[in-house]
Amino acid sequence: MAEVVVPEPQDPVAPGPPVTPGQVPGGRPPGRLERLRHLAAARAVLAVAPEPESWLDVGCGRGYFCAAARRYFPYTAFDGLDATPLVEAAREAGRIEEAHRGLPEDPVTSLRLTGRYDVISLLGVRPRPGRLRAIRPILRDGGHLLVDARPDSPAALSALTAAGYRPVPPPRRRLPWQPLLARPVRVRAER
């Protein structure tokens, strides 16, 4: 019987001592189920974006998801955005290339990252409409958003719709749990 992989939230934001280079607070590596969940999430993007140039992981924490996704996307530049110092530790460990400290809702962060990413992942982060709207300008045209939610989740679908995204239909053969992919709805200018 197939093993069901259930998403677990990433580390909560908790104050702690400052991170020194090479040290990751509570540096427990991900367990087997967490690694499988990371691989399943990355693999969900393969069908719609087989070779993205750049990928931003929002709420990246220690960057373990990016390290796992590199298995399927070895030529993709993975960057992380997090409100904690864990993002710098992920860069020091070589799991991400660029570390951005802050939140996507912050106008300075959003302006600095506008139009840079083909794929943005929100794993372990609740997909609120405000956050989803703030992420829209960061995505390149034709980009994809990977959300840590089931494709049949009414709350996730309504948040995506309210923020101007359209879910990408899941593949015919999907895993028991597979994250939700979405694309921004293109607004046509009136002539």
Side-chain angles (χ1 to χ4, degrees), residues 40-156:
R43 191 167 181 200
V45 177
L46 268 176
V48 294
E51 202 170 314
E53 184 180 321
S54 56
W55 189 315
L56 179 68
D57 187 23
V58 176
C60 75
R62 295 181 182 97
Y64 289 126
F65 168 71
C66 295
R70 210 176 287 284
R71 176 177 178 184
Y72 295 112
F73 304 99
Y75 303 111
T76 298
F78 287 94
D79 297 344
L81 173 64
D82 202 294
T84 69
L86 293 174
V87 70
E88 281 103 8
R91 184 188 62 224
E92 291 290 327
R95 295 184 192 107
I96 58 174
E97 292 182 24
E98 288 185 31
H100 303 283
R101 190 136 177 223
L103 296 170
E105 297 92 336
D106 177 26
V108 174
T109 303
S110 181
L111 184 62
R112 188 175 68 235
L113 301 177
T114 297
R116 286 187 56 186
Y117 296 98
D118 299 312
V119 178
I120 297 179
S121 51
L122 281 165
L123 302 177
V125 177
R126 180 168 292 151
R128 298 184 321 250
R131 177 164 286 169
L132 294 171
R133 275 191 293 278
I135 286 173
R136 252 190 110 156
I138 299 173
L139 268 176
R140 287 184 179 154
D141 287 340
H144 291 84
L145 177 66
L146 180 66
V147 180
D148 199 3
R150 292 179 53 97
D152 57 355
S153 165

